[in-house]
Amino acid sequence: MCGIIGYTGKKNSVEVLIEGLKRMEYRGYDSSGIAILNDNNEIVTIKKKGEIQKLINAINDRKYPSHTGIAHTRWATHGEPNDINAHPHSDCKNEISIVHNGIVENFKSLKDYLLSKGHKFVSETDTEIIVHLIEEFAEDNDLLTAVKKALKKIKGTYGLLVISKKLPNTIIAARMGSPLVIGKSDKQMIIASDASAIISHTNQVLYLEEGEIAEITVNDINISNIFSNHITDPKFIEIDMTLEQIEKGGYEHFMLKEIYEQPESIRNTIRGRLDKTNGTIRLNGIKKYINDLKDADRIIITACGTSWHAALLGKYLIENFANIPVEVDYASEFRYRNPIVRKNTVVIAISQSGETADTIAAIYEAKRKNAIVLGICNVIGSTIARITDAGIYMHAGPEIGVASTKAFTSQVTVLLLLAILLGRKHHMSFDEGLHLIKELEKIPDKINEILNSRKYIQKLSKQLYKHTNFLYLGRGFNYPVALEGALKLKEISYIHAEGYPAAEMKHGPIALIDDNMPALVIALKDSIYEKIITNIKEIKARKGHVISIATKGDKEIGSMLKDVIYIPDTFEPMAPLLSIIPLQMISYEIAVLRKLDVDKPRNLAKSVTVE
Ligand code: G6P
């Protein structure tokens, strides 16, 4: 949520900043802005409500030679999206400018203090407080000291970039609770919220740590701790991310590309982890804690959004294979609920971005209660990957579409791997372990088969896209899939959709059924097939329109229903990896038919770094 970028170097900063903003637009897209130090050493600020193209149009009218600047793409928290509330924000004299990703929780009292000192505010944002605080302290101090003093007064989170006309060709960057990555290449430095904005320039990066502040010039970087002043040696590492991975590669939308990448992303998730000789799984990242997991009285999995749906599947998988009780908690509830964490409780946090504020707070709460906390993340080097005791990377590759697709299937794959590994440590036989591993290897090809049915799904979506309410039903392992399918439709099509355990339907939602309420029912040939067929009959008896996801070769369902999407057969616990694919595809096609911005749905952001 919110992307920030800063540049100082040999190129025209405006071009670099705009390119970076475009790459980070998925982090927020209600307004954007740029502040540069021009050749006369004045700060020029341009800000626009709406998508980044509006900012580009405003900039194109004029020429701005500049080698240092900062920029921001916003997901509004304090103050509605408009030109004034957009970042960057400046001090009273327009000598200092900042961009900020985060929240100032004590902004009201700080604002009152600054007003009493005569500062003038123009926006409704919490961010503007920071720049005026810096201005206040800059009177008697150098800029770095002033920024440190200001940040010590702030309660909340920040990824912050500061420029000042008094310190040309320098950017100050500080981090607390919101990520910042610094990229270094020949005579240039780029600082951004994530590496996607950097990799077209360099793959040498440094992740700023919590509480650190850096003074950055073209040739130099000095890092110290905001609170202790402790100095750290800058250590750059090489990141393994390519430009191709974060571009659309001929697809109309990132979401479509990411749906189609799933055979490959799942292959990457399982690569090197299948141990056929021993019929088990290798997860080196959590090796040290595997016995704690095995002997845990209880595992708590905590996450938000799509990751929470994967967590729910994790419960079904781990309880089924390893017989360990698993609780699943929304991170936002866990953190405030005073959760029970006993000596043998292990907490697992799942997060694609590794930056979700609620999940981070839940991790800290679990740690305060002395739990071992493990992470399942996609973004390498992200906050959650670093604050957890150990973890398992998803290796799904960068996910840009705001609606999560390939991250979900990789999360489920990781949980499947973990469940098999724990199962093998308990009562699962070698044969069963091997059997599962061999089937898992076939999943990518089976997904490819489903992806080939796009034409049929497009046809079906044409029948459906004008409806305003949908029901998604599934049972057992496919119940979390029903929840995730409904979420996908809500997120990108703005259609009301409810996911429900199919049998629960008769305890309420059945009252909603009529011929205007399509029901997408996952009815696979598994242990509860007969039960879900009964649920379908209940809907049909009330004139409901049922669209079913069914197992290839199932004639019975074909004779009952007109609209059936067939998917290949697999083992029941692995079915979610297949049954979710047509649901992702339907949401995508419906959003396209409704002419909506699939990759940037309204009001959402990919990475929610505020609570
Ligand atoms: C946001 C995104 C969702 C995502 C959720 C959790 O709401 O729009 O797609 O599932 O955050 O994100 P995380 O990065 O922690 O998995």
Side-chain angles (χ1 to χ4, degrees):
M1 152 164 330
C2 296
I4 63 175
I5 177 164
Y7 176 83
T8 182
K10 59 186 177 186
K11 293 188 187 149
N12 180 341
S13 69
V14 177
E15 282 160 25
V16 180
L17 294 173
I18 292 293
E19 185 206 325
L21 281 188
K22 281 204 270 184
R23 296 214 189 276
M24 290 192 297
E25 197 173 12
Y26 69 90
R27 296 179 67 92
Y29 34 84
D30 60 43
S31 49
S32 58
I34 185 167
I36 49 160
L37 279 165
N38 69 10
D39 280 355
N40 299 327
N41 202 31
E42 290 155 346
I43 293 182
V44 180
T45 306
I46 306 155
K47 315 198 276 189
K48 277 282 161 226
K49 177 185 169 184
E51 58 198 34
I52 288 166
Q53 192 51 47
K54 300 234 164 77
L55 178 70
I56 298 173
N57 296 345
I59 292 172
N60 276 348
D61 298 344
R62 292 167 268 180
K63 289 267 168 288
Y64 295 105
S66 154
H67 296 280
T68 300
I70 53 177
H72 185 275
T73 178
R74 180 168 187 245
W75 188 89
T77 53
H78 289 69
E80 64 168 285
N82 59 30
D83 291 0
I84 292 173
N85 288 334
H87 299 212
H89 290 286
S90 305
D91 66 330
C92 298
K93 300 192 272 294
N94 197 32
E95 289 185 349
I96 306 167
S97 183
I98 67 166
V99 287
H100 169 222
N101 170 24
I103 292 264
V104 182
E105 284 165 9
N106 55 338
F107 91 102
K108 181 78 186 66
S109 55
L110 290 174
K111 189 166 183 173
D112 290 344
Y113 164 76
L114 289 162
L115 283 170
S116 75
K117 292 275 194 173
H119 289 264
K120 300 265 181 298
F121 290 86
V122 292
S123 79
E124 302 157 275
T125 65
D126 52 340
T127 297
E128 207 184 348
I129 309 301
I130 306 176
V131 70
H132 287 278
L133 266 182
I134 298 171
E135 179 184 23
E136 184 66 23
F137 295 123
E139 293 285 306
D140 316 308
N141 292 292
D142 62 275
L143 187 67
L144 184 69
T145 310
V147 177
K148 280 188 181 175
K149 282 196 162 187
L151 293 180
K152 281 183 195 156
K153 297 269 177 218
I154 282 167
K155 279 204 201 114
T157 56
Y158 45 83
L160 181 78
L161 300 178
V162 187
I163 54 170
S164 161
K165 56 185 283 185
K166 292 198 176 139
L167 213 55
N169 303 323
T170 305
I171 296 175
I172 292 180
R175 170 195 172 143
M176 179 61 80
S178 303
L180 273 184
V181 194
I182 303 169
K184 171 181 84 167
S185 80
D186 181 34
K187 297 208 174 55
Q188 51 183 355
M189 293 277 200
I190 311 157
I191 312 104
S193 300
D194 75 48
S196 65
I198 293 179
I199 52 152
S200 64
H201 305 278
T202 176
N203 60 0
Q204 294 295 314
V205 301
L206 179 156
Y207 292 92
L208 214 56
E209 297 289 343
E210 288 291 271
E212 280 185 346
I213 187 163
E215 192 173 28
I216 301 155
T217 60
V218 176
N219 300 315
D220 209 7
I221 168 165
N222 294 310
I223 303 176
S224 59
N225 188 282
I226 298 164
F227 307 96
S228 68
N229 290 323
H230 175 78
I231 293 171
T232 318
D233 275 346
K235 285 199 186 71
F236 283 82
I237 53 164
E238 196 171 306
I239 42 159
D240 177 24
M241 192 193 273
T242 62
L243 207 53
E244 199 191 7
Q245 282 176 317
I246 57 161
E247 288 183 336
K248 282 192 207 149
Y251 286 91
E252 208 178 327
H253 296 99
F254 280 113
M255 183 182 178
L256 188 64
K257 176 182 175 232
E258 287 155 8
I259 289 174
Y260 274 80
E261 274 173 354
Q262 288 177 106
E264 196 49 32
S265 50
I266 291 178
R267 275 193 200 103
N268 289 337
T269 304
I270 60 181
R271 180 161 299 129
R273 290 170 165 169
L274 309 183
D275 174 0
K276 286 195 197 153
T277 315
N278 298 301
T280 189
I281 301 294
R282 263 187 305 263
L283 292 173
N284 290 336
I286 57 161
K287 215 168 167 181
K288 194 170 150 203
Y289 296 98
I290 201 67
N291 285 331
D292 296 288
L293 271 168
K294 175 187 150 248
D295 299 331
D297 292 341
R298 202 164 52 113
I299 295 173
I300 301 175
I301 315 184
T302 187
C304 305
T306 288
S307 301
W308 188 88
H309 294 150
L312 193 56
L313 259 165
K315 171 185 170 72
Y316 283 49
L317 291 165
I318 295 171
E319 289 187 347
N320 186 59
F321 287 157
N323 219 13
I324 305 169
V326 180
E327 237 176 71
V328 179
D329 228 335
Y330 286 109
S332 53
E333 292 296 315
F334 181 90
R335 61 184 291 193
Y336 288 121
R337 199 169 44 80
N338 193 14
I340 299 166
V341 177
R342 299 230 162 88
K343 213 170 99 225
N344 291 335
T345 306
V346 177
V347 174
I348 301 177
I350 307 181
S351 173
Q352 186 287 128
S353 62
E355 301 295 346
T356 301
D358 283 323
T359 312
I360 292 172
I363 292 169
Y364 283 128
E365 178 55 15
K367 287 191 148 212
R368 279 192 286 269
K369 292 188 179 264
N370 296 323
I372 292 169
V373 188
L374 307 177
I376 298 177
C377 294
N378 193 33
V379 177
I380 314 256
S382 57
T383 303
I384 294 179
R386 286 174 318 134
I387 62 173
T388 42
D389 295 301
I392 312 168
Y393 275 122
M394 290 149 54
H395 296 306
E399 190 182 65
I400 312 285
V402 167
S404 183
T405 51
K406 65 173 181 172
F408 175 74
T409 45
S410 281
Q411 286 164 343
V412 174
T413 305
V414 165
L415 290 160
L416 202 52
L417 295 174
L418 181 62
I420 298 172
L421 172 56
L422 292 175
R424 287 288 287 132
K425 298 248 169 228
H426 283 278
H427 57 268
M428 186 188 285
S429 68
F430 169 83
D431 277 352
E432 199 188 342
L434 189 60
H435 209 47
L436 286 164
I437 288 174
K438 286 189 172 162
E439 180 59 19
L440 187 53
E441 280 184 310
K442 292 184 194 149
I443 293 290
D445 286 340
K446 293 188 178 185
I447 293 180
N448 266 327
E449 212 180 307
I450 305 170
L451 294 171
N452 287 337
S453 53
R454 183 166 180 207
K455 283 237 154 58
Y456 178 65
I457 288 176
Q458 281 175 321
K459 202 173 113 213
L460 209 56
S461 303
K462 277 194 187 137
Q463 285 178 49
L464 297 173
Y465 80 100
K466 289 192 177 145
H467 284 279
T468 49
N469 291 293
F470 280 71
L471 208 53
Y472 281 68
L473 303 174
R475 294 180 77 142
F477 288 102
N478 282 307
Y479 159 51
V481 177
L483 296 180
E484 175 59 10
L487 179 65
K488 287 289 90 75
L489 194 71
K490 280 184 268 207
E491 282 178 316
I492 57 166
S493 299
Y494 318 149
I495 296 173
H496 170 239
E498 276 195 57
Y500 242 82
E504 270 295 302
M505 177 195 64
K506 53 187 175 294
H507 301 293
I510 199 162
L512 301 169
I513 301 278
D514 61 18
D515 52 5
N516 275 321
M517 174 86 148
L520 279 114
V521 187
I522 308 158
L524 305 180
K525 275 270 187 196
D526 56 19
S527 60
I528 38 179
Y529 177 71
E530 298 303 336
K531 311 264 176 220
I532 204 140
I533 291 293
T534 309
N535 300 138
I536 290 178
K537 286 182 180 154
E538 289 160 1
I539 304 172
K540 283 192 52 105
R542 285 154 185 88
K543 300 209 173 344
H545 175 190
V546 177
I547 302 100
S548 175
I549 314 293
T551 307
K552 197 164 86 180
D554 178 356
K555 297 216 172 65
E556 186 182 345
I557 211 154
S559 64
M560 265 172 75
L561 300 174
K562 186 168 64 64
D563 300 319
V564 183
I565 304 167
Y566 290 101
I567 64 172
D569 195 13
T570 184
F571 298 162
E572 198 167 331
M574 287 181 199
L577 290 173
L578 302 183
S579 54
I580 190 59
I581 308 292
L583 300 184
Q584 295 170 342
M585 292 167 84
I586 286 176
S587 313
Y588 173 80
E589 300 298 348
I590 289 181
V592 170
L593 285 162
R594 290 169 81 104
K595 300 197 178 3
L596 298 170
D597 191 344
V598 175
D599 286 331
K600 294 192 285 299
R602 72 181 179 205
N603 304 342
L604 300 180
K606 180 88 189 140
S607 168
V608 181
T609 55
V610 293
E611 50 169 304

